[in-house]
Amino acid sequence: MSVVYLDHVAGTPLHPKVFEAMVPYFREFYGNPSSIHDGGEKVRQAIDAARTKVARLIGSQEEEVYFTSCGTEANNLALKGIAWAQQTRGKEIIISSIEHFSIMHTANALERAGFQIVRLPVDQYGLMDPGAVEKAITSQTILVSIMHANPEVGTIEPIAEIGKIARAKNVLFHTDAVVSAGTIPVEVQELNVDLLSLAANQFYGPKGAGALFVRKGVRILPLLDGGIQERGLRAGTENVPAIVGMGVAADLAREELPQRMDYLRLLQKKLTAELPKRIPYLRFLGHPTQRLPGNVSVAVEFIEGEAMLLFMDMEGIQLSSGSACISRSLKVSHVMLAMGVDAATAQGSLLFSFGMQSKEEDIDRVLEVLPPVVERLRNMSPVYRKAMAKKTEALG
């Protein structure tokens, strides 16, 4: 059975050129980059070259890029590092109600440590109102953190506008750009951000490599105590092969971004047009136009997303329901609840996220397999039968 992988928001396959670039740093160049001998220096140069490539992807200076193990670590470093460094100025942090768990749970931990967390609502599309951010900022606010794009519903937030507001208020601004960097244009100066998180596995790089942009002059404290790696901000021996791979993936993303976006939008458009023709009682989630290319988020009413995932997986079609981090928790998505989606509808969510190896035939396969799965599950659903009975009664 051929596999149709439509879960790229959870992770992209490794680009062949990225893999080729990584291999020598497993076998030939294995020195510690902190060593002063030639074996260490060659590895150090490879890390510096990767830093330059990542900086080019986001339009920053090389010395403003700090490598981490993943996007979650970058988000933790951003929030906790700024909180501890800036707490004499104030102890208030503003986030949105639809942030990734690595922001939400970090904010919860800071709240337990005595910081005040302000959680702002979003509209029905998952869109943040910049005016709400402006109103929420007080003299005690030290950081605003709003994600660039939401992985579950694809909505892209007005980060540049929010960044202008934060800068005018002399408040630091962080954005979680893990699902957007390498997928859409991300330029730190245009976005008016002071800190930005990204991860390699979202743009065909390896897992285990992320980065945090920290604007020059911003005071931030490390999470880990130890050596002087990453100029003292991130102690611990570097994951050299992954960092090298992230650099190559960043270069490829920068060069191929327009073509990638056009292709993903083509697939997105086809699935969005065809799904409602095959499946009734289907609701699209997220902003209709201000969204990530290749991201199609839907709620299929009257049935649960987990059941659909299992049946689709049996047919070799791999999707997700809500975010990758909650698909095993069997909980209603906090993102959808924040958007005003009722719990029953949110349970029926499916997320299709395309990648560069996706094909139009993959969509044809989905359109062949999913409607019968939905019909089968609805016929087993007392909620569906009750809803249809009410509809029949209302008609006559």
Side-chain angles (χ1 to χ4, degrees):
M1 179 190 301
S2 60
V3 173
V4 175
Y5 182 75
L6 299 178
D7 194 19
H8 290 82
V9 75
T12 54
L14 197 65
H15 194 291
K17 291 183 179 179
V18 172
F19 177 74
E20 291 171 11
M22 292 172 64
V23 169
Y25 293 90
F26 287 108
R27 295 177 175 173
E28 300 173 45
F29 306 112
Y30 45 79
N32 190 312
S34 295
S35 299
I36 61 173
H37 52 62
D38 187 60
E41 181 58 27
K42 286 180 178 177
V43 175
R44 167 56 54 193
Q45 290 173 1
I47 292 176
D48 291 342
R51 197 184 313 278
T52 299
K53 293 170 183 175
V54 172
R56 281 201 298 252
L57 176 64
I58 61 174
S60 75
Q61 299 179 42
E62 298 169 19
E63 60 269 28
E64 294 175 318
V65 173
Y66 297 86
F67 288 115
T68 65
S69 64
C70 58
T72 289
E73 185 189 342
N75 283 339
N76 270 259
L77 178 55
L79 264 66
K80 293 177 181 174
I82 291 298
W84 299 128
Q86 307 290 333
Q87 60 182 320
T88 56
R89 292 183 52 212
K91 303 192 77 172
E92 184 177 271
I93 296 171
I94 297 171
I95 65 172
S96 81
S97 56
I98 62 168
E99 296 296 320
H100 187 266
F101 282 150
S102 59
I103 294 291
M104 288 180 59
H105 291 171
T106 300
N108 292 344
L110 288 170
E111 194 169 40
R112 291 191 294 270
F115 288 84
Q116 181 180 353
I117 307 300
V118 178
R119 300 168 179 86
L120 298 180
V122 294
D123 69 9
Q124 62 181 322
Y125 300 116
L127 202 61
M128 171 63 62
D129 175 14
V133 178
E134 186 171 20
K135 290 178 182 177
I137 293 174
T138 71
S139 61
Q140 294 299 303
T141 306
I142 56 173
L143 179 67
V144 174
S145 180
I146 306 294
M147 62 171 27
H148 190 197
N150 186 275
E152 290 186 48
V153 297
T155 299
I156 299 172
E157 303 294 340
I159 295 301
E161 190 175 349
I162 296 172
K164 284 182 182 179
I165 292 168
R167 189 155 295 174
K169 298 278 189 177
N170 196 31
V171 172
L172 294 175
F173 182 41
H174 165 256
T175 190
D176 172 2
V178 168
V179 296
S180 58
T183 301
I184 60 176
V186 171
E187 212 284 338
V188 294
Q189 302 305 325
E190 292 180 1
L191 293 176
N192 302 305
V193 294
D194 300 294
L195 304 102
L196 180 145
S197 304
L198 64 158
N201 70 316
Q202 291 292 311
F203 48 91
Y204 308 96
K207 300 174 181 64
L212 179 67
F213 156 77
V214 182
R215 183 172 56 80
K216 189 181 295 185
V218 171
R219 184 169 178 268
I220 181 172
L221 295 181
L223 294 180
L224 303 175
D225 295 319
I228 60 171
Q229 292 90 349
E230 294 304 296
R231 300 182 298 290
L233 189 57
R234 204 276 183 179
T237 302
E238 298 91 338
N239 183 354
V240 179
I243 289 172
V244 169
M246 184 175 188
V248 174
D251 251 4
L252 290 168
R254 183 174 56 86
E255 294 166 3
E256 300 174 3
L257 200 57
Q259 297 93 327
R260 291 183 183 183
M261 292 172 63
D262 287 345
Y263 183 65
L264 294 177
R265 283 175 178 146
L266 179 69
L267 299 176
Q268 182 182 46
K269 183 177 180 180
K270 178 174 179 177
L271 183 62
T272 301
E274 294 298 325
L275 266 182
K277 299 177 183 177
R278 315 294 179 93
I279 301 173
Y281 307 108
L282 185 80
R283 174 178 174 182
F284 288 102
L285 303 170
H287 199 280
T289 57
Q290 197 168 314
R291 62 183 304 111
L292 292 169
N295 180 298
V296 178
S297 181
V298 300
V300 183
E301 295 188 54
F302 311 119
I303 52 179
E304 292 185 354
E306 294 291 331
M308 287 186 285
L309 289 185
L310 292 173
F311 277 107
M312 295 295 281
D313 191 40
M314 289 170 63
E315 296 290 338
I317 301 173
Q318 299 172 359
L319 311 170
S320 60
S321 180
S323 75
C325 294
I326 70 164
S327 58
R328 291 182 179 270
S329 69
L330 298 179
K331 293 181 180 178
V332 178
S333 162
H334 69 284
V335 173
M336 295 180 195
L337 293 179
M339 292 164 52
V341 180
D342 65 89
T345 302
Q347 287 281 20
S349 69
L350 284 180
L351 174 59
F352 304 85
S353 48
F354 297 101
M356 291 310 295
Q357 88 282 11
S358 301
K359 304 177 180 65
E360 288 197 51
E361 301 91 89
D362 296 339
I363 298 176
D364 295 335
R365 179 67 177 153
V366 168
L367 296 173
E368 173 191 354
V369 173
L370 184 57
V373 166
V374 170
E375 183 178 9
R376 178 179 179 182
L377 290 172
R378 281 179 173 167
N379 288 336
M380 297 165 58
S381 168
V383 176
Y384 176 68
R385 291 197 297 270
K386 185 176 181 180
M388 293 303 101
K390 283 186 177 180
K391 182 179 179 181
T392 302
E393 183 180 344
L395 292 175

